[in-house]
Each structure stands twice: as C-alpha cells, then as structure tokens.
Amino acid sequence: MNSQRFAVTDLMTRFIRQIPEGDDRERLMCPDCGHVAYENPKVVVGSVVAEGDHILLCRRAIQPRAGFWTIPAGYMELGETAEEGAAREAWEEARVRIALDGVLAVYSIARIGQVQVIFRARFAEPGFAPGPESLEVARFHWSEIPWEELAFPSVHWALKAWRDSAHGALPAAALNPQEDRRGVHRLPVAS
Amino acid sequence: MNSQRFAVTDLMTRFIRQIPEGDDRERLMCPDCGHVAYENPKVVVGSVVAEGDHILLCRRAIQPRAGFWTIPAGYMELGETAEEGAAREAWEEARVRIALDGVLAVYSIARIGQVQVIFRARFAEPGFAPGPESLEVARFHWSEIPWEELAFPSVHWALKAWRDSAHGALPAAALNPQEDRRGVHRLPVAS
C-alpha cells in the first residue's frame, strides 16, 4: 500500500468544484471547457495466506505503519483482475506464490476512499521472503498472531474473518464488522 | 454507469509515461516535478434486487447499451461504503429502497479497469419507478428474464449467481465465470 490516494486531484489547482448539469454533487471541473475530472474510491486487493493454522504476515518497511505487521495487500493496478492483483501483491511483498480459494471479505474504508477485496489463499509453492516493502515475512500460528502490532484495523478484521472459516467451505464474504458499519440496514435473511 | 472512466488522464497531456524510481511499471509523471499521477481501476457497485422469484431490472435510458436491461449499478463515489453506493444506485436508477443480504459477486472487467461488487438485496419498502437514467423499471419472474436484451455480460453473470442461492444462505462470492477467467490458478478447497 502507499499513500498516493489523492495524487491526481492535487494537480487540479485550476479546476473548480461545482455541480455539473444533470448531476447532484460537486465535481472537479475545468472552468474553460467544462470537463469533469471524476474522483473515485481506490481498490486494495489482498489475501490471508494460510497453511494449516499458520498465517503469513509481512512487517512493513514503509509508511504508514512501518514496523507493524500486515497481510500482503496493495492497490490494484489497471489491466489486472482483483485475483491477479492479490497474487501480484503477495509476490511483491512476501515473495510467495499463492492459490486463491475465493473472496474472504469486502471492506469499505469510506473515510479514505478505499474498498478492500480480501481473498482467502494458500501456498501454491513452498517458500517466502521479504520483498522491498517488507522488513520481514513470517508464518504465525493462530495462537501467536501479534495482535497488538498489526498495522491496520482491517488486518484484524480479515484475520478474524479467516478464523470463521479457516479450512472449511468459504462462507459469504465478510463485510465491515458491526462496530464499523453504517448506512444500509440489513434485514435478517430468510433461510 | 457512465463512460467517464479515463477522464482525468485525458487531461494529463503534458505528462509523460515513465517508470518512477523504485517502481516497476510506467506511470503518468510530471516532467518538471516528478509528481506521479496514479491511474487505478474503478469500482462499480450494484445489486440483484429480488422479491420471491421476481427480479428488478432497469431499461437503460443512456449509453452505453441504451434500451437494454440491467441491474441497478453504477460507479461508487468517494465518501460512501460499497453498501451505501449500491443502495444509492438502486434509488437513483429504480427509485427503490433496498436491504442488502451481502456480497453476491466480485467481478473484474480488467479490459476496462473495472471491479464490480454486486450485492444480493431485497425490497426494504414497496414501490419502484424509473429514475433519470432509466426508461422503465420492471419486476421479471425468473422465467421471463429478457436474456437476449441484457445490457452487459456481467448482468448475466450476476443473475445466474443469484439463481444459485436465491432465498437460501448466501454462499461465497461468485467470481468471473470460467469462460471469462484468467490468471490465478485456484486449487480445489479442502473440505
């Protein structure tokens, strides 16, 4: 992950914020030609990589939260699928080749304009090592996860979502936990 | 949905494409100050809204695919969660208040830099009507879905993913179907 989230809009110093015709919210617009520069949330793709009851974590070499532990994750790139992005990040950060089971969680971090798509994954090949953005990479038994040294709340959430299925069938994707949920009321599902 | 996907980058005419130090792919960079303008995939949020065996579809009033049927979906906005975005689009396009069950599917349309997060939803209140981007809105019994007049392949996929669970427990999120899948090999899941 990096912190370049709003880089493009920083450039738009001559742009103005106004509501385009037919729209209902302010956009960055060119005052000369009326061109609208849409700003959109960014997608983070990542994975909980497990072998038995051991989970792969990376200790971050970069800010934010350098020195803290995270799952392999980062910004999705143009031209790749979410699955490819998660596998690329696992390679870049942990030099591990992974196989994906499916979607473990979809988290929204609205405050920073981020959607995280987290996969459940396993080792496709043995071996791992720190990539350039990691100080170290290690497998932790579930009982030894360094909960106090995790980099982000969503790493907590993803690990707990992993524990709920672990080696069984993958359930419906987890969403933000109750304490960080807002907005849309959900009815109980008829079964 | 609209087709403003690469609007910001169209503006970057004085920017050059080169690989920033420490990166491994070409980015749009300012030749004067070295500022990097990252380009990222966009998130589409949508929902399959059902009542019994009836599905809500909207006939598009706008391009692309005007006149064809789709589920309520559109670009996620900054500051909202994926769930809020799906509910907002359902209101904007179909004047329907929905309640979300959870994530039905996560589709990657890498060719156009898009990730779609599709929810399974139900009517939270009775009533629906076309919003400004819809010619009409209708409930179709599953046996009457206008398959030949659907707007996008991912509408087909989402409806078929809905049929696989319908009123039961929501399973793991669907991913691109086999005929549109690439990249990351998935191992069979141990059960």
Side-chain angles (χ1 to χ4, degrees):
Chain A
M1 300 196 199
N2 61 47
S3 52
Q4 307 284 359
R5 273 187 294 274
F6 301 113
V8 170
T9 59
D10 295 344
L11 298 165
M12 304 288 166
T13 47
R14 81 192 183 94
F15 274 55
I16 56 172
R17 288 198 172 272
Q18 70 179 40
I19 301 177
E21 197 181 322
D23 205 338
D24 60 0
R25 66 185 68 202
E26 287 192 345
R27 307 287 181 184
L28 279 175
M29 293 184 68
C30 173
D32 301 328
C33 72
H35 186 103
V36 179
Y38 287 93
E39 304 164 281
N40 295 92
K42 288 198 173 28
V43 184
V44 165
V45 283
S47 56
V48 176
V49 185
E51 185 173 27
D53 289 324
H54 288 79
I55 308 276
L56 192 75
L57 295 176
C58 311
R59 201 153 72 84
R60 291 172 62 81
I62 56 171
Q63 296 298 349
R65 301 288 281 165
F68 289 81
W69 293 92
T70 187
I71 59 175
Y75 286 113
M76 186 174 166
E77 300 276 3
L78 278 183
E80 67 186 8
T81 65
E83 294 94 315
E84 288 167 347
R88 177 184 50 73
E89 290 288 343
W91 177 253
E92 288 179 6
E93 300 190 351
R95 292 289 183 257
V96 61
R97 298 294 186 195
I98 63 173
L100 303 179
D101 285 346
V103 178
L104 179 66
V106 175
Y107 299 130
S108 297
I109 321 289
R111 178 177 55 83
I112 54 172
Q114 211 177 75
V115 176
Q116 302 188 352
V117 179
I118 309 296
F119 293 88
R120 193 177 79 176
R122 286 158 294 131
F123 289 77
E125 299 171 9
F128 55 86
E133 297 184 1
S134 302
L135 294 171
E136 58 180 312
V137 176
R139 283 191 318 184
F140 289 90
H141 188 268
W142 179 259
S143 64
E144 295 165 344
I145 300 275
W147 295 102
E148 302 304 314
E149 294 165 55
L150 296 182
F152 307 108
S154 58
V155 178
H156 281 261
W157 305 347
L159 292 175
K160 286 172 178 171
W162 177 85
R163 184 196 50 193
D164 289 345
S165 69
H167 316 295
L170 198 62
L175 291 163
N176 290 35
Q178 203 63 47
E179 69 270 19
D180 193 279
R181 193 172 291 174
R182 66 179 210 194
V184 182
H185 177 67
R186 257 169 263 172
L187 299 172
V189 181
S191 60
Chain B
M1 302 196 198
N2 60 48
S3 52
Q4 305 284 358
R5 270 185 297 273
F6 301 114
V8 169
T9 57
D10 295 344
L11 298 165
M12 303 289 168
T13 46
R14 82 190 183 95
F15 275 55
I16 55 171
R17 288 198 172 273
Q18 67 178 43
I19 302 177
E21 197 181 321
D23 203 340
D24 60 359
R25 65 185 70 201
E26 287 191 347
R27 309 285 182 184
L28 279 175
M29 293 183 71
C30 172
D32 301 329
C33 73
H35 186 103
V36 179
Y38 287 93
E39 304 163 281
N40 296 91
K42 287 201 172 30
V43 184
V44 165
V45 282
S47 56
V48 176
V49 185
E51 184 172 28
D53 288 325
H54 288 78
I55 307 276
L56 192 75
L57 295 177
C58 311
R59 201 154 71 84
R60 291 171 62 82
I62 56 173
Q63 295 300 348
R65 301 289 282 165
F68 288 80
W69 294 91
T70 188
I71 58 174
Y75 286 112
M76 186 174 167
E77 299 276 3
L78 276 183
E80 68 187 7
T81 66
E83 294 93 315
E84 288 167 348
R88 176 183 52 71
E89 290 288 342
W91 178 253
E92 288 179 6
E93 300 188 352
R95 292 290 182 256
V96 60
R97 298 293 184 193
I98 63 172
L100 303 180
D101 284 347
V103 178
L104 179 66
V106 175
Y107 298 131
S108 297
I109 322 291
R111 180 178 54 82
I112 55 172
Q114 211 176 73
V115 176
Q116 302 188 352
V117 178
I118 308 297
F119 293 88
R120 194 177 78 176
R122 285 159 295 132
F123 289 78
E125 299 171 9
F128 55 86
E133 297 183 1
S134 301
L135 294 171
E136 59 180 310
V137 176
R139 281 191 317 184
F140 289 91
H141 188 268
W142 179 259
S143 64
E144 294 165 346
I145 300 276
W147 296 102
E148 302 303 315
E149 294 165 55
L150 297 182
F152 307 108
S154 57
V155 178
H156 280 262
W157 305 347
L159 293 175
K160 287 174 178 170
W162 177 85
R163 185 195 50 191
D164 288 344
S165 71
H167 316 296
L170 198 61
L175 291 164
N176 290 35
Q178 203 62 49
E179 68 269 20
D180 193 280
R181 192 172 292 174
R182 66 180 209 191
V184 183
H185 177 65
R186 257 170 261 171
L187 298 173
V189 181
S191 62

